[in-house]
């Protein structure tokens, strides 16, 4: 089997519903994917879609490497990064010895959520992009939870330039890959994990006994379509991770972090192969809309599914064939205008108390009263000193 997808066949099915690119552009993308497959150790490849930009567009390819190929590449990167960090730490130590150590801050930042390993979770697939068919493919870096969390809070058009000074380009968070029910089934290992942990993993396999549903059945209910990929949690990962989970020694030293970890609640997303009928709608709008490619010749119609949450995301099903694709600006639909997130409140510099609270200015009456009292005290002190001097003179005369 070749990893090269049949782009023209997929384009034919989507064309039945008026979705897709021109035949010339589709064929050029077909050739570009062929070139990508010939130079990269790719096991599977798929034309993910096209994201529109203000200056240029992105043609996105979704790939899976052969087992071990991408891991070796990432190990080399980790080694290089480790060497750089060691050199930077040594330079910083030398600078600290030369300069006086400043006061140490008591601020404890939130722990960084690590990204999921290549081939798992949000990084299960690798992504290549190019602006036009025939131009060099550029591999995108693995996505981090921080990028996903940030991308959900902003709304910005892509420029089409990867080096533009804006937020980085992570894999599109709204890529909801779907398939007809029954085409995939959980692997045996995943069934055992689901029974033990109460949630499914990310592995599924094709069902050899799958019997395709008719187009009428696919259009009758959204329960005939399922998600065959994991959903991304609010944490920015597909598998929840406790950021405060450390070794036993560190846990004994940092009891505060343990207390914070107790307050955290584990996120559990819906398992894979969950029907689309369980997706949350948008106010009175369903999350998905199913329709035939034609009502005139129903016996040759193709079942088309479009996302109302991510305009531009489509899927088709016809017998044993199905696929997903995206054409759009990369914006999620919202019935309300986008409201940027507010910055966090300013942190208090110090606790307020009487010992550090500035006193109020006295009034004129209080100043005059204080001045009169001070003069009386001075007069009384002078009189006492005068009386003591007189008593001392009398004692000297008696002697």
């Amino acid at each position: 089997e070749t990893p090269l997808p049949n782009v023209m066949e997929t384009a034919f099915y989507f064309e039945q519903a008026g979705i897709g690119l021109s035949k010339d552009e589709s064929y050029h993308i077909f050739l570009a994917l062929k070139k990508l497959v010939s130079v990269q150790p790719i096991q599977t490849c798929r034309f993910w879609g096209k994201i529109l930009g203000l200056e240029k567009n992105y043609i996105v390819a979704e790939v899976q490497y052969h087992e071990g190929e991408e891991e070796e590449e990432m190990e080399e990167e980790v080694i290089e990064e480790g060497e750089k960090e060691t050199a930077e730490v040594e330079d910083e130590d030398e600078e600290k010895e030369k300069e006086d150590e400043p006061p140490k801050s008591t601020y404890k930042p939130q722990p960084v959520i690590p990204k999921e390993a290549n081939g798992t979770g949000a990084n299960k697939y690798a992504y290549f992009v190019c602006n036009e068919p025939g131009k060099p493919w550029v591999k995108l870096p693995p996505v981090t939870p921080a990028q996903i969390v940030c991308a959900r809070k902003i709304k910005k058009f892509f420029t089409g330039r990867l080096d533009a000074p804006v937020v980085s380009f992570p894999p599109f968070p709204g890529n909801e890959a779907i398939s007809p029910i029954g085409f995939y089934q959980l692997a045996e290992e995943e069934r055992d994990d689901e029974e033990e942990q109460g949630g499914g993993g990310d592995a599924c396999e094709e069902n050899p006994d799958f019997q395709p549903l008719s187009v009428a059945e696919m259009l009758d209910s959204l329960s005939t379509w399922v998600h065959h990929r994991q959903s991304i949690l609010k944490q920015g990962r597909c598998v929840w991770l406790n950021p405060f989970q450390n070794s036993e020694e560190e846990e004994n030293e940092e009891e505060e972090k343990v207390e914070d970890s107790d307050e955290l609640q584990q996120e559990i997303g819906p398992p894979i192969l969950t029907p689309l009928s369980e997706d949350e709608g948008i106010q009175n709008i369903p999350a998905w809309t199913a329709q035939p490619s034609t009502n005139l010749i129903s016996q040759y119609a193709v079942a088309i599914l479009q996302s109302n949450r991510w305009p531009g995301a489509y899927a088709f099903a016809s017998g044993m064939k199905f696929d997903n694709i995206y054409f759009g600006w990369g914006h999620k639909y919202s019935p309300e205008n986008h409201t940027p997130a507010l910055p966090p409140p300013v942190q208090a510099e110090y606790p307020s108390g009487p010992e550090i609270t500035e006193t109020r200015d006295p009034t004129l009456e209080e100043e005059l009263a204080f001045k009169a009292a001070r003069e009386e005290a001075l007069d009384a002190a002078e009189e006492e000193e005068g009386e003591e001097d007189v008593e001392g003179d009398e004692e000297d005369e008696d002697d």
Side-chain angles (χ1 to χ4, degrees), residues 185-357:
Q185 62 182 5
L186 288 176
E188 294 182 0
E189 297 178 357
E190 298 298 333
R191 293 198 198 100
D192 298 338
D193 294 341
E194 186 176 5
E195 293 176 357
E196 295 176 0
Q197 303 177 3
D202 63 343
C204 57
E205 58 187 9
E206 293 187 11
N207 182 9
D209 301 327
F210 170 68
Q211 296 294 329
L213 302 176
S214 64
V215 173
E217 292 174 320
M218 298 294 294
L219 300 175
D220 183 54
S221 174
L222 291 177
S223 60
T224 56
W225 303 79
V226 296
H227 296 277
H228 65 262
R229 295 191 189 172
Q230 287 180 297
S231 61
I232 302 178
L233 305 175
K234 294 181 180 179
Q235 191 184 48
R237 292 168 54 97
C238 293
V239 179
W240 188 81
L241 176 70
N242 188 350
F244 298 99
Q245 186 177 4
N246 298 322
S247 61
E248 295 181 358
E249 297 179 357
E250 294 177 350
E251 287 181 354
N252 295 333
E253 294 176 358
E254 303 179 359
E255 297 180 356
E256 296 181 358
K257 291 186 177 181
V258 176
E259 293 177 358
D260 295 338
S261 64
D262 294 337
E263 299 177 359
L264 293 177
Q265 294 183 354
Q266 182 179 358
E267 293 183 62
I268 300 177
I272 57 174
L273 306 184
T274 299
L276 268 62
S277 56
E278 299 184 11
D279 288 5
E280 183 180 358
I282 311 162
Q283 293 184 356
N284 296 327
I285 305 174
W288 300 89
T289 300
Q291 59 186 5
S293 59
T294 177
N295 291 318
L296 300 178
I297 312 175
S298 58
Q299 58 268 37
Y300 291 105
V302 177
I304 300 295
L305 197 69
Q306 67 177 14
S307 173
N308 296 321
R309 188 179 301 277
W310 293 97
Y314 298 93
F316 85 88
S318 178
M320 297 290 292
K321 297 183 181 296
F322 75 94
D323 206 344
N324 309 270
I325 207 163
Y326 177 82
F327 300 107
W329 294 94
H331 284 181
K332 185 178 181 179
Y333 172 74
S334 175
E336 302 174 354
N337 293 331
H338 174 68
T339 303
L342 296 176
V346 179
Q347 185 179 8
E349 295 184 2
Y350 45 80
S352 179
E355 65 279 1
I356 58 174
T357 303

Side-chain angles (χ1 to χ4, degrees), residues 42-68:
I42 293 174
Q43 182 178 4
T44 61
C45 178
R46 184 173 78 90
F47 174 44
W48 185 90
K50 183 176 182 179
I51 293 181
L52 306 178
L54 297 177
E55 302 177 17
K56 304 176 184 178
N57 301 325
Y58 286 118
I59 296 172
V60 187
E62 182 185 77
V63 305
Q64 262 189 319
Y65 284 94
H66 288 287
E67 187 175 357

